[in-house]
Amino acid sequence: MGILGGGQLGRFFTIAAQKMGYSVVVFDPDKKSPAGKIADKHICRPYDDKEALDELKKICDLVTTEFENIPAKTLRYLEKDIIVRPEAQAVSIAQNRIKEKRFLKKSGIPIGRYAVIDNFESIKLFNDEIDIFPAILKTAQFGYDGKGQMHVNNVTELERAFIRFNNAPCILEEKLDLDLEFSIVMARSINGDYLEYPLIENQHEAGILDLSIIPARVSSILHKEATKFAKKIASDLNYIGVMAVEFFISNNNLYVNEIAPRPHNSGHFSIDACANNQFDQQVLTLVGSKPKDEEIKFPVSVMLNLLGDLWFRRGEKKSEPNFEMIKSSEISLHLYGKSEPRIGRKMGHITILGLEKQSIEDVIRKAESIRKTIWEN
Ligand code: ADP
Ligand code: MG
């Protein structure tokens, strides 16, 4: 099987696929890609290199992606001759915020107020009194981990931000007052079999996922509603594979934030807490099998992301954090094999599994104390 994109998600996919006996070809232009290092083969070429894509077609029977910014054109080119899951059509919607919003609206999914900003004329329609401000301007494409986003409070700031993004097509979103953020990670087979992991509560720092809490502290009414929306999105997209839907709760109302057409950082708890993790499901749905029942071994868990910032905690000088104290069996450390730590770069994560009788709050406290210890060591 082939995978387009060789980041941390591709690396976990490769591990899952190899465990089931498959060989994996990673296609990623980065020589040092974390997944490329462990794959059976790494094709290190740009995503629009036809000759390299032809080679991928020759070696592989099936291809998937780990990264929504793979050009849809590339997926369409592969689709002509081999199986690509999820299909180009679904990825092309999820990778473009304008198409994504239109799709969600058409499917009857609740979303926050937004406007398309694709030229200066569209900005003229706004004035500071229109109550979309404060708002967030997001580039329609290529954003991730809060990149390609600027908070704007009035028309002047909106104009400045649009110029900063080189007049690229954008979405202007009303900034919602968030009670809580959560995600649904689900898998759907070619026959429409649907599997959903427990809701995942997500806390972000500066637009980057910091902490995930499982199960999310969300009422059963909103849980049911969210599941209904996730199912509807997956079926309207004709989705085959693993997908994450990010939700906001604001003033007790549910909104869909965005769709990720791939496994999701927030689903990493499944590696340690479930019999079958989100990458196992990606492999299974890719080969046309049903997703396997998620069988949760640890009903309560917390995931702590490890960003490159941790490598620079003593100022400018880079130093490897000390993970020595992570010795207990209910704490699991994952490092992604990224050679260059950078501020804001996801380098790894830690999963803290809740033991019997431990409440969510106990596990969160433990996570916070682990974080403190790592930062101080
Ligand atoms: P990314 O592709 O970087 O994940 P998101 O659109 O999910 O982009 O934004 C990242 C984070 O920024 C969200 O998880 C949320 O914390 C915050 N955010 C984004 N949009 C809004 C909004 N409309 N109102 C309030 N907070 C938002
Ligand atoms: Mg997001």
Side-chain angles (χ1 to χ4, degrees):
M1 20 185 85
I3 182 155
L4 298 161
Q8 43 136 334
L9 301 173
R11 185 172 166 110
F12 284 119
F13 168 84
T14 303
I15 294 168
Q18 289 174 338
K19 193 177 70 187
M20 291 184 219
Y22 298 104
S23 302
V24 178
V25 183
V26 166
F27 195 113
D28 188 308
D30 179 5
K31 264 207 307 274
K32 294 177 178 165
S33 96
K37 285 183 187 171
I38 62 163
D40 297 85
K41 184 178 171 71
H42 178 189
I43 300 179
C44 188
R45 303 293 305 161
Y47 293 120
D48 57 359
D49 182 324
K50 279 212 169 142
E51 246 173 66
L53 292 172
D54 288 338
E55 187 191 354
L56 186 71
K57 279 190 200 175
K58 239 187 249 150
I59 318 173
C60 297
D61 299 316
L62 311 132
V63 165
T64 187
T65 50
E66 63 109 45
F67 175 52
E68 63 263 43
N69 293 329
I70 305 293
K73 219 170 139 187
T74 296
L75 299 177
R76 269 186 225 110
Y77 183 70
L78 293 171
E79 243 165 36
K80 283 192 219 152
D81 302 296
I82 54 173
I83 293 172
V84 177
R85 289 177 180 150
E87 290 173 2
Q89 173 61 11
V91 177
S92 74
I93 292 171
Q95 73 183 192
N96 182 309
R97 292 190 195 274
I98 300 174
K99 287 190 187 172
E100 183 178 52
K101 296 276 189 217
R102 287 184 179 144
F103 160 79
L104 290 169
K105 208 166 174 185
K106 200 165 153 226
S107 286
I109 309 293
I111 52 174
R113 286 195 312 135
Y114 78 95
V116 173
I117 305 285
D118 52 3
N119 56 45
F120 272 97
E121 292 306 307
S122 49
I123 296 181
K124 291 214 178 85
L125 298 174
F126 287 91
N127 63 56
D128 294 354
E129 276 74 54
I130 292 185
D131 60 356
I132 196 155
F133 297 112
I136 305 175
L137 187 71
K138 304 181 179 178
T139 55
Q141 282 195 270
F142 310 121
Y144 68 98
D145 286 349
K147 292 187 181 77
Q149 298 194 13
M150 281 180 87
H151 290 232
V152 291
N153 295 302
N154 49 51
V155 173
T156 315
E157 289 182 14
L158 172 58
E159 276 176 348
R160 266 193 224 133
F162 188 56
I163 293 170
R164 182 76 86 75
F165 291 146
N166 298 319
N167 305 9
C170 286
I171 284 280
L172 182 68
E173 280 182 24
E174 168 186 34
K175 192 163 156 187
L176 294 167
D177 217 352
L178 302 184
D179 310 337
L180 189 139
E181 290 189 55
F182 70 90
S183 52
I184 286 186
V185 173
M186 45 84 37
R188 188 172 179 273
S189 78
I190 187 163
N191 297 320
D193 305 294
Y194 177 91
L195 176 135
E196 185 180 296
Y197 285 100
L199 293 202
I200 307 156
E201 180 176 333
N202 297 317
Q203 296 180 3
H204 292 79
E205 279 298 326
I208 307 176
L209 182 64
D210 178 47
L211 195 93
S212 292
I213 300 163
I214 300 94
R217 292 164 293 182
V218 169
S219 72
S220 60
I221 295 174
L222 288 184
H223 187 163
K224 265 198 203 123
E225 221 179 313
T227 297
K228 192 180 79 192
F229 295 141
K231 271 190 183 158
K232 171 93 170 114
I233 291 170
S235 91
D236 285 2
L237 281 176
N238 233 333
Y239 198 88
I240 308 165
V242 173
M243 177 172 77
V245 182
E246 297 180 10
F247 291 87
F248 292 149
I249 303 177
S250 174
N251 297 318
N252 228 7
N253 290 315
L254 199 58
Y255 300 88
V256 165
N257 170 30
E258 60 170 352
I259 308 165
R262 50 170 173 78
H264 198 250
N265 191 176
S266 70
H268 283 351
F269 78 97
S270 63
I271 299 170
D272 298 294
C274 303
N276 302 291
N277 68 47
Q278 58 172 347
F279 305 97
D280 298 326
Q281 314 292 9
Q282 190 181 13
V283 177
L284 291 167
T285 49
L286 180 59
V287 299
S289 301
K290 261 189 182 181
K292 264 196 196 156
D293 194 356
E294 78 277 21
E295 194 196 324
I296 302 160
K297 297 187 286 184
F298 295 89
V300 174
S301 59
V302 170
M303 184 210 66
L304 197 60
N305 258 344
L306 300 171
L307 298 185
D309 309 42
L310 194 56
W311 274 248
F312 296 97
R313 67 203 180 291
R314 299 191 207 294
E316 297 282 292
K317 204 168 167 289
K318 191 171 78 185
S319 64
E320 195 74 21
N322 183 357
F323 295 115
E324 275 294 293
M325 62 288 182
I326 301 175
K327 284 203 180 105
S328 102
S329 61
E330 73 271 20
I331 307 172
S332 175
L333 169 71
H334 298 262
L335 293 169
Y336 307 148
K338 295 187 181 174
S339 38
E340 208 38 62
R342 284 196 296 270
I343 301 292
R345 188 176 203 201
K346 290 168 178 164
M347 300 297 289
H349 72 268
I350 294 174
T351 309
I352 299 105
L353 299 165
L355 301 175
E356 230 175 299
K357 296 205 182 99
Q358 275 186 328
S359 68
I360 293 191
E361 284 70 28
D362 292 334
V363 187
I364 296 170
R365 263 195 299 278
K366 191 161 178 187
E368 294 297 356
S369 105
I370 290 170
R371 187 209 304 274
K372 194 159 172 274
T373 318
I374 300 172
W375 272 90
E376 286 170 0
N377 262 277

